[in-house]
Amino acid sequence: MPIAIDKDRSKRNSKSLQSGQGIVPLEILMMGWMCFLTVAFVTLVVFAVDLAAGSKALYLYEVDGEPKDPVLEYLVKEGKPRFEQNHPIFLWRQETTSYRPPPRVIEFYAPWCPHCQHFVSKYVKMAKEIHAVHPNIEFHAISCVAHHDICKDQGIRSFPTVKVLKEDSYDVKKIKLGEVDVEHFSRELRFSNDSVEKTKKNESKHDNVHEIARVIPFRLHDVHDAWSDAALSFEFALKTGIHMSNGPLSPEEEKAFRDWLELLSKTLPIQMKRTHDIIHLLLKNFSIAVESQSNMDNLISQNIPLEPKRQWHTCTYGDNQMGYTCGLWQLFHIMSIGVVEYNQHNAAIPTRHASETLRNYVEHFFQCEVCRLNFLDMYDNCSFDGCHRLSAQPASTEHEWRELPLWLWETHNDVNVRLMGERMEQNSQVEPNSWESQQARWPSLVACPNCWREDRSWEEDRIFEHLHRLYWHGNPLHIRVEETPHDFDTRYEKIPLSRKIGAIVFGVLLTLALLAKSDKSKIHAGRHKKIEI
């Protein structure tokens, strides 16, 4: 019986390349190259986005390569010796140069600090007014997240901090925030402000108006997001907020820090295992941790496994500048619910003890100056009847324990309303009306319709149930953490991008090899033969 070879197969063979023992069709090779080029393109895009996100999280005065002239953002320069990076010439005298510095103003800030963000427009506007008449005066900005060592050497303990240095001088003088204006700088730097005032009058009063949303809606999230964000902010604070100067903590700071760690060890859910491990480690080696930042960093890096970098999920809307403070509030709320949970099964923690511990932590370790002073003022003056609601004695009923998370919730909402008003004032918008003030409070009517009455008062039981559901509910057996890039901490290590790309390329090549093997098997099996009958 005659046998005819499939002509189509013959044509395909004529378009094939001999490769070792088998035949690899050109179509498969071209597919492989297309996959490789696609992966390379995606790699470049991811790298660019990651770089831009990192820049945005570190700086306020130069983002995505766009400077806010005439303010000069001090940036990390690759390849420059570490000593030179940490000792910029406009702050430290360099013996090897004849540079004579001009008069200069320097702001030290943290990008996560709401009042630092509000201060940007004021600082830039004032710099433009003065620089237009006195171009020799320099205005600098230093991010204390990007340049933590510089800020420690300069003794920066609150944000924003403004300092001035006269011409050809390295004698630094701190300026109170209430005195940051043209008139005060004219006295400190010895220039006439008459011309500056004329320049100000010629400018449009709407120059600094920005189109922004008056009310920003709350972002929906679940208990896993809250735990993850709280853990991130806890570790971020350890890296940037505990040792704010060179040397050991003061006795007052030591006590505040130990009390805070001990409180968290009792009140955080067990699912925040990594956070518990760090707390246990620090308490066990407390005398070492409080000696210096490097001691604390080494303790953690040598005993706590590294994990992929990740970023905050809640309240950021893609802007990681706000992630730290939002995550810190999450930590506070989780702790407050945790007090209620802990007290149900253990010797009760007095609610006043928990609130005092929180207050002292904020006093010593939260560097946004205006935020800190406002919180301390509210607490020390018994806002929301805190002096009566929070008991110094161990209470015996859950109703009394619930006063702590409810008091903290009211305090947080008051902060939200105040920050919204400040943001509108900074952007020359009319002050918020009663409806907008209500919308700045959480939970929203959408998230918890039963929490609010028609007269805008709240149902305490429903509010507590909502807080419990958001920060503790279900106490699931695992914590979901999504691996998303974030660049706030050099100790974290994400899986290198090269490894990810290598894995993808390996998968593509493996697929091609399997296809080639399959094609070879078909040849040997004679599956492409036609039989003429």
Side-chain angles (χ1 to χ4, degrees):
M1 196 178 306
I3 298 175
I5 303 298
D6 187 356
K7 295 181 179 180
D8 292 336
R9 178 178 171 273
S10 299
K11 292 179 182 179
R12 285 199 303 273
N13 285 346
S14 67
K15 296 180 182 179
S16 302
L17 295 175
Q18 296 295 331
S19 177
Q21 299 177 352
I23 297 175
V24 181
L26 278 174
E27 290 89 338
I28 296 180
L29 288 176
M30 292 183 66
M31 184 185 303
W33 275 108
M34 290 292 291
C35 292
F36 179 79
L37 292 174
T38 301
V39 167
F41 175 75
V42 171
T43 300
L44 291 174
V45 172
V46 170
F47 176 77
V49 171
D50 192 41
L51 187 64
S55 172
K56 191 173 184 181
L58 290 175
Y59 302 106
L60 290 181
Y61 291 90
E62 182 157 341
V63 180
D64 299 335
E66 294 293 329
K68 295 184 182 295
D69 294 331
V71 177
L72 304 172
E73 180 79 76
Y74 186 64
L75 304 173
V76 174
K77 295 182 179 179
E78 297 295 334
K80 195 172 183 180
R82 185 173 179 83
F83 179 84
E84 291 185 24
Q85 284 197 25
N86 292 337
H87 295 80
I89 197 169
F90 58 85
L91 260 179
W92 277 275
R93 189 183 302 278
Q94 310 292 334
E95 300 298 337
T96 58
T97 180
S98 58
Y99 171 75
R100 297 185 62 183
R104 53 219 183 274
V105 180
I106 305 171
E107 180 204 354
F108 299 85
Y109 71 90
W112 51 260
C113 170
H115 292 280
C116 296
Q117 296 166 23
H118 295 165
F119 187 70
V120 169
S121 59
K122 178 180 180 179
Y123 190 53
V124 171
K125 181 175 183 292
M126 183 179 59
K128 287 181 178 179
E129 293 169 352
I130 296 176
H131 200 262
V133 182
H134 302 281
N136 64 313
I137 299 177
E138 294 181 352
F139 288 83
H140 296 267
I142 296 180
S143 166
C144 289
V145 172
H147 303 284
H148 190 54
D149 289 339
I150 294 178
C151 296
K152 283 203 298 183
D153 288 340
Q154 286 290 315
I156 306 301
R157 303 186 65 85
S158 61
F159 307 124
T161 291
V162 177
K163 295 185 176 183
V164 296
L165 297 88
K166 296 177 181 178
E167 183 176 6
D168 198 23
S169 171
Y170 285 91
D171 294 331
V172 179
K173 182 175 181 179
K174 181 179 176 180
I175 305 299
K176 295 179 180 179
L177 285 181
E179 298 175 345
V180 176
D181 54 37
V182 173
E183 182 179 353
H184 192 82
F185 284 148
S186 68
R187 293 197 301 269
E188 292 294 336
L189 300 178
R190 300 176 183 174
F191 65 84
S192 171
N193 69 333
D194 294 338
S195 300
V196 176
E197 291 299 322
K198 292 179 181 178
T199 304
K200 289 170 60 178
K201 292 178 181 178
N202 292 331
E203 291 180 346
S204 169
K205 63 182 179 180
H206 299 293
D207 280 349
N208 279 322
V209 176
H210 304 285
E211 291 298 326
I212 63 170
R214 289 180 61 81
V215 180
I216 301 176
F218 292 105
R219 183 174 181 174
L220 296 178
H221 61 281
D222 60 18
V223 67
H224 308 94
D225 293 326
W227 290 348
S228 178
D229 286 0
L232 280 173
S233 289
F234 172 76
E235 294 187 45
F236 186 84
L238 294 181
K239 189 73 175 176
T240 65
I242 304 301
H243 287 279
M244 292 304 295
S245 60
N246 296 315
L249 299 182
S250 68
E252 294 80 10
E253 291 170 334
E254 278 193 29
K255 185 178 186 310
F257 188 40
R258 181 187 287 276
D259 289 347
W260 177 241
L261 293 177
E262 289 178 345
L263 178 63
L264 292 182
S265 71
K266 298 176 181 178
T267 58
L268 296 186
I270 59 173
Q271 286 73 25
M272 294 179 67
K273 183 180 183 304
R274 177 181 172 86
T275 305
H276 274 290
D277 289 345
I278 295 174
I279 292 171
H280 176 74
L281 175 69
L282 294 178
L283 287 173
K284 185 178 179 181
N285 302 275
F286 191 75
S287 60
I288 298 175
V290 298
E291 279 298 310
S292 68
Q293 184 68 58
S294 60
N295 279 14
M296 186 182 296
D297 292 344
N298 290 337
L299 267 176
I300 296 174
S301 62
Q302 293 171 9
N303 294 278
I304 303 298
L306 296 171
E307 64 175 4
K309 291 181 183 178
R310 59 192 194 274
Q311 67 183 18
W312 290 277
H313 290 276
T314 56
C315 308
T316 61
Y317 298 92
D319 183 356
N320 260 332
Q321 294 168 4
M322 292 299 292
Y324 170 55
T325 50
C326 189
L328 199 60
W329 273 112
Q330 306 280 19
L331 184 64
F332 295 168
H333 288 297
I334 293 169
M335 176 276 293
S336 70
I337 297 293
V339 168
V340 179
E341 292 290 326
Y342 180 88
N343 286 355
Q344 292 178 355
H345 309 287
N346 303 275
I349 300 172
T351 52
R352 177 68 62 82
H353 170 75
S355 64
E356 285 283 342
T357 300
L358 172 60
R359 179 229 179 265
N360 294 337
Y361 176 83
V362 171
E363 179 183 18
H364 292 289
F365 304 116
F366 190 63
Q367 289 77 39
C368 179
E369 184 171 16
V370 179
C371 303
R372 181 178 70 249
L373 294 178
N374 282 334
F375 183 87
L376 296 179
D377 181 69
M378 293 172 66
Y379 185 88
D380 295 343
N381 288 287
C382 303
S383 294
F384 306 109
D385 201 26
C387 294
H388 294 96
R389 296 169 67 182
L390 306 175
S391 173
Q393 302 300 320
S396 58
T397 67
E398 183 176 341
H399 176 77
E400 293 173 284
W401 302 331
R402 287 186 178 192
E403 290 295 339
L404 176 64
L406 290 172
W407 166 83
L408 184 63
W409 168 76
E410 289 184 64
T411 301
H412 190 179
N413 267 334
D414 187 78
V415 171
N416 287 342
V417 174
R418 177 171 48 78
L419 287 176
M420 181 181 68
E422 292 176 359
R423 179 168 52 85
M424 291 182 177
E425 181 181 358
Q426 286 289 330
N427 288 276
S428 302
Q429 296 177 316
V430 296
E431 62 182 26
N433 55 40
S434 59
W435 181 87
E436 290 171 329
S437 296
Q438 173 64 27
Q439 297 307 302
R441 295 182 173 90
W442 63 281
S444 66
L445 289 173
V446 174
C448 185
N450 295 325
C451 288
W452 300 96
R453 303 188 184 102
E454 291 185 3
D455 61 357
R456 296 177 184 170
S457 60
W458 57 85
E459 294 280 357
E460 285 194 357
D461 289 342
R462 302 292 84 76
I463 291 290
F464 179 81
E465 290 167 4
H466 180 81
L467 294 174
H468 191 277
R469 182 168 60 253
L470 194 60
Y471 297 115
W472 202 275
H473 182 65
N475 222 2
L477 298 178
H478 68 280
I479 179 169
R480 185 195 71 215
V481 177
E482 299 176 6
E483 293 183 12
T484 48
H486 183 55
D487 205 20
F488 71 79
D489 191 337
T490 55
R491 180 173 49 79
Y492 281 115
E493 291 183 358
K494 63 181 178 182
I495 299 174
L497 195 58
S498 59
R499 292 187 186 178
K500 295 179 181 178
I501 300 304
I504 296 174
V505 173
F506 176 77
V508 172
L509 294 177
L510 181 61
T511 302
L512 293 176
L514 291 174
L515 288 173
K517 184 177 180 180
S518 175
D519 190 70
K520 181 180 176 182
S521 300
K522 290 178 182 178
I523 293 173
H524 288 295
R527 294 177 184 174
H528 290 278
K529 294 181 180 180
K530 287 186 178 179
I531 300 177
E532 289 185 359
I533 300 176

